[in-house]
Amino acid sequence: GGGGNLGIAKSALNALIASGGTNIRDALQGGLDLLPAGTDRRKVIVFLSDGMKSAGGDPSEPAFLNQFENEDVSVFSVGFGTEGGAGCRGLDINLRSTLSTTGPDGFFQVAENSTQLDKFFINALGGAIESELVVDPEGTIGSGQTVVVDAGLGTNDLTATFVLTWD
């Protein structure tokens, strides 16, 4: 059942040891290996990193990337870091963009703060369950202030869920 899988996942996470390297290819291959092959179920990998590849094989090799497309695996990739004048320091933007466009419906985002990270995970969840999302605006709402957001709902939409986060 789901509870058993959650326990296994927590044990696996607790067993991880930071060793100072970023082996993107092995991490993604490990995720691919966990997904059941040849199924009609939606397959998604959420990839979060704050660094560039510093260990392991080349994750941009075509033979490696073809696995995502061959198995219909979407990659939702977020680079957690700070965007500077010359781009995102410490993040391999090209690789993350390539990973996110190799399989169906993936996307890439840079998150510089917890609000942007929240938005990424909301988008990733929506993509994983193939839902339409409106994720914005980002800003400050004062006490007693009202903000109207056009959600673009259609006549076939049965429900709408709104999520508000704050720091």
Side-chain angles (χ1 to χ4, degrees):
N5 290 338
L6 180 59
I8 293 169
K10 285 182 177 181
S11 294
L13 285 173
N14 289 332
L16 292 176
I17 299 170
S19 61
T22 302
N23 190 334
I24 292 172
R25 183 172 174 148
D26 279 1
L28 290 168
Q29 187 65 56
L32 281 168
D33 292 345
L34 290 172
L35 297 172
T39 179
D40 290 340
R41 298 180 82 184
R42 182 118 164 98
K43 293 180 269 188
V44 172
I45 291 178
V46 176
F47 178 66
L48 172 108
S49 177
D50 65 350
M52 297 183 78
K53 178 189 96 60
S54 62
D58 183 359
S60 63
E61 287 178 345
F64 175 72
L65 293 175
N66 286 341
Q67 297 177 95
F68 295 97
E69 193 162 345
N70 292 342
E71 288 295 324
D72 285 330
V73 176
S74 297
V75 177
F76 304 134
S77 177
V78 62
F80 191 70
T82 303
E83 200 165 338
C88 297
R89 289 174 271 150
L91 298 175
D92 190 338
I93 302 300
N94 291 334
L95 172 61
R96 284 173 175 73
S97 179
T98 298
L99 288 170
S100 297
T101 58
T102 299
D105 305 321
F107 67 87
F108 165 69
Q109 181 177 325
V110 173
E112 297 182 51
N113 57 52
S114 62
T115 300
Q116 291 173 346
L117 199 56
D118 286 345
K119 289 170 77 172
F120 166 80
F121 283 111
I122 291 168
N123 275 321
L125 176 63
I129 62 172
E130 297 181 318
S131 286
E132 294 295 323
L133 296 172
V134 176
V135 182
D136 266 328
E138 185 177 318
T140 302
I141 301 173
S143 178
Q145 185 180 8
T146 301
V147 174
V148 176
V149 178
D150 178 17
L153 298 174
T155 57
N156 293 328
D157 294 314
L158 300 176
T159 62
T161 302
F162 295 87
V163 178
L164 176 66
T165 63
W166 60 87
D167 287 332

